[in-house]
Amino acid sequence: MANFNRDHLMRTFMEKHKETDYEARLEELLKNKEKIYEAIKNSPFLKRKNEEAAASLAKLPRPFPWEKEKSEKSV
Amino acid sequence: MNKDTYPFRTIIDDFVYLFVSEGIHGIIDKGVLIEAIPEDKRYWFKSCYNLGLGDVTISENGWKLDDSVRSGNGDMPKIIATVARIAMDFLTKPPNSTLSFQGYLGSKSARQGKNHRNILYQRAINSNWEALSAEFSFWGVNAGQIEEYVVGKVYDQIFVKYR
């Protein structure tokens, strides 16, 4: 039982420590947020993914279920 | 969502998110872009958005979103749970928005005829179904048809909307 409690405390401590590391890394990244934002927004890969999503959505029958839900709600 | 997730931040606007993944290859910076889906050159699907995920890297040419390799950092369930949490965060913002998930079909997935990332997205949804379905509506695309999401069924594309 004592071992379990010690392990549990150690794990919790490590997780908290890691969480702080991630936050620090994010803060570091945010110093370059304008450049990173541009890189993500202009990514050819994500542009292609968006076009693929548009193409696959265009093939699906209309109205979409969420459009039906919306019009039912507004009646 | 009771899954272990990474902390994340939005940058500049509510459509670009950043988080940090840690696994067998060390630290990898991840970027998520949520973007409105264009219907064609003139029209836009009404409030329908696509979610894309990639690795954020820096080289001598500056920052870029790297899609050249699967990062294989051994923490994909945690990444997927983080992306699911980002999706939930986003869906509570623009009114009546619907989000589309379509996992990246890498060479391994294509060889096996399975979309592994979609399977993981669905695993995250299925294992938290009770909590998620109370707040969100889900649909799946199967054989070119949209249907209400059924837990355990495999879909090519998933749509989710805040109720």
Side-chain angles (χ1 to χ4, degrees), chain B residues 5-6 10 25-26 38 47 49 51 74 83 85 88 98 104 113 132 134 152:
Chain B
T5 58
Y6 291 112
T10 53
H25 297 307
S47 309
Y49 296 82
L51 184 147
V83 172
R85 200 174 279 278
M88 283 188 270
T98 305
Y104 166 62
L132 288 176

Side-chain angles (χ1 to χ4, degrees), chain A residues 18-19 22-23 25-27 29-30 32-37 39-41 43 45-50 52-54 56-62 64-67 69-70 73, chain B residues 6-7 9 11-13 16 18-20 22 27 29 31 33 35-39 45 48 50 52-53 63-65 67 98 102-104 137 139 141 144-146 157 159 161:
Chain A
K18 278 192 167 187
E19 194 91 347
Y22 298 143
E23 298 283 353
R25 174 81 176 198
L26 279 171
E27 291 308 321
L29 281 173
L30 288 174
N32 292 297
K33 65 180 176 185
E34 283 86 5
K35 285 175 187 160
I36 295 175
Y37 178 82
I40 294 175
K41 282 291 254 190
S43 153
F45 166 67
L46 292 185
K47 276 201 175 116
R48 199 169 64 242
K49 290 290 296 172
N50 195 261
E52 282 170 17
S56 94
L57 208 53
K59 287 182 200 149
L60 296 172
R62 302 287 289 264
F64 300 129
W66 53 90
E67 291 174 335
E69 257 190 10
K70 197 176 159 187
K73 270 183 191 169
Chain B
Y6 291 112
R9 294 275 194 285
I11 52 171
I12 316 277
D13 60 29
V16 179
L18 276 181
F19 66 94
V20 176
E22 188 179 23
I27 296 265
D29 304 319
L33 174 67
E35 203 171 19
I37 302 176
E39 184 161 3
F45 287 107
C48 200
N50 185 51
L53 165 73
W63 291 93
K64 69 168 190 163
L65 193 105
D67 63 299
T98 305
Q102 207 173 11
Y104 166 62
S137 299
W139 297 272
V141 176
Q145 297 294 320
I146 308 181
Q157 193 173 4
F159 296 101
K161 182 177 176 291

